[in-house]
């Protein structure tokens, strides 16, 4: 089963091992967590991806209709881990259109220990969301091995755009954290995130 496989990969790799999922049914998630608890086997992290995330390789009907959005999914995951008294056994990582600093901080406020985001970097690189990531026909040359299509990425040009995106998100992130009265990401809470919005 999946839990035994997690342990197997941890044992042979001796590296951090994670599980990535978009939350679906609550009963299945609860059963999965209870099984980890029963076997006393936990991944080092669980990456919760909201339904609003996803890759251009996924079927559009899946992207638009399957799974739970990130924040409700993160809340559910976090609450079940707390209820089962195993929240300290692993880290939660969040993803799903976390392009802006505000969205990233919101995910942390809802229980994520960390976030990851590719979409902002992809857009800065020139992604036009053509939804051809899995075909090797990306018209702007990002997700392809076709030499002709790859010429669409002018590295000197795109490197500055990607760097500017990263610098500005970081700057916004630091400003928002400071505005909440926090000096450390671990101090971010749901209450601090929404204090001024009532």
């Amino acid at each position: 089963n999946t839990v035994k496989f997690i342990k197997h990969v941890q044992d042979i790799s001796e590296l951090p091992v994670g599980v990535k999922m978009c939350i679906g049914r609550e009963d299945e998630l609860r059963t999965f967590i209870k099984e980890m608890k029963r076997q006393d086997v936990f991944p080092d992290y669980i990456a919760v991806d909201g339904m609003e995330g996803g890759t251009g390789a996924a079927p559009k009907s899946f992207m638009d209709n399957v799974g739970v959005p990130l924040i409700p999914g993160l809340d559910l995951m976090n609450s079940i881990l707390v209820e089962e008294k195993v929240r300290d056994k692993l880290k939660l990582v969040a993803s799903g259109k976390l392009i802006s600093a505000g969205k990233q901080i919101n995910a942390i406020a809802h229980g994520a220990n960390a976030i990851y985001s590719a979409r902002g970097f992809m857009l800065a690189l020139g992604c036009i969301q053509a939804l051809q990531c899995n075909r090797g026909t990306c018209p702007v040359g990002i997700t392809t091995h076709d030499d002709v299509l790859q010429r669409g990425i002018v590295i000197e040009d795109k490197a500055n755009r990607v760097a500017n995106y990263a610098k500005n998100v970081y700057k916004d992130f630091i400003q928002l954290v400071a505005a909440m009265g926090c000096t450390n990401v671990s101090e971010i809470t749901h209450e601090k995130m929404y204090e001024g919005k009532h």
Side-chain angles (χ1 to χ4, degrees):
N1 75 28
T2 304
V3 177
K4 284 183 183 171
F5 186 69
I6 291 167
K7 177 74 172 128
H8 176 68
V9 175
Q10 286 172 324
D11 289 345
I12 62 171
S13 72
E14 298 180 2
L15 296 169
V17 173
V19 176
K20 178 181 178 182
M21 63 178 69
C22 180
I23 307 301
R25 290 177 35 187
E26 180 179 346
D27 61 327
E28 290 178 345
L29 176 59
R30 192 173 294 276
T31 299
F32 179 54
I33 292 170
K34 284 185 176 205
E35 186 59 24
M36 289 190 293
K37 186 177 173 180
R38 188 185 73 73
Q39 292 186 35
D40 195 28
V41 171
F42 299 90
D44 296 280
Y45 65 91
I46 294 178
V48 178
D49 194 2
M51 71 170 284
E52 63 273 59
T55 170
K60 182 141 176 44
S61 58
F62 277 59
M63 288 189 281
D64 293 343
N65 303 298
V66 177
V68 175
L70 175 62
I71 298 304
L74 199 52
D75 285 341
L76 181 61
M77 175 70 78
N78 199 43
S79 68
I80 294 173
L81 289 169
V82 169
E83 284 170 28
E84 292 296 326
K85 298 178 175 48
V86 294
R87 180 60 183 89
D88 62 331
K89 299 281 189 182
L90 54 85
K91 302 293 184 197
L92 283 182
V93 182
S95 68
K97 283 192 179 174
L98 299 177
I99 296 173
S100 68
K103 288 184 176 188
Q104 294 168 1
I105 288 173
N106 193 30
I108 292 168
H110 282 269
N113 298 101
I115 64 97
Y116 65 96
S117 178
R119 190 174 305 254
F121 290 96
M122 294 291 286
L123 292 171
L125 191 58
C127 173
I128 60 170
Q129 300 182 50
L131 305 179
Q132 298 178 27
C133 307
N134 59 325
R135 297 186 199 147
T137 57
C138 174
V140 293
I142 297 171
T143 59
T144 182
H145 293 288
D146 183 304
D147 292 338
V148 173
L149 292 173
Q150 282 181 347
R151 290 186 198 135
I153 300 179
V154 179
I155 300 300
E156 297 74 22
D157 215 21
K158 304 297 181 172
N160 288 330
R161 293 179 187 189
V162 171
N164 286 337
Y165 167 72
K167 285 178 205 167
N168 286 314
V169 167
Y170 179 73
K171 179 182 162 199
D172 289 349
F173 191 94
I174 296 301
Q175 287 177 338
L176 284 168
V177 170
M180 293 183 339
C182 300
T183 58
N184 187 303
V185 174
S186 64
E187 296 172 7
I188 296 171
T189 64
H190 185 264
E191 293 73 25
K192 287 182 182 176
M193 183 75 182
Y194 291 102
E195 274 177 358
K197 295 187 178 183
H198 297 296

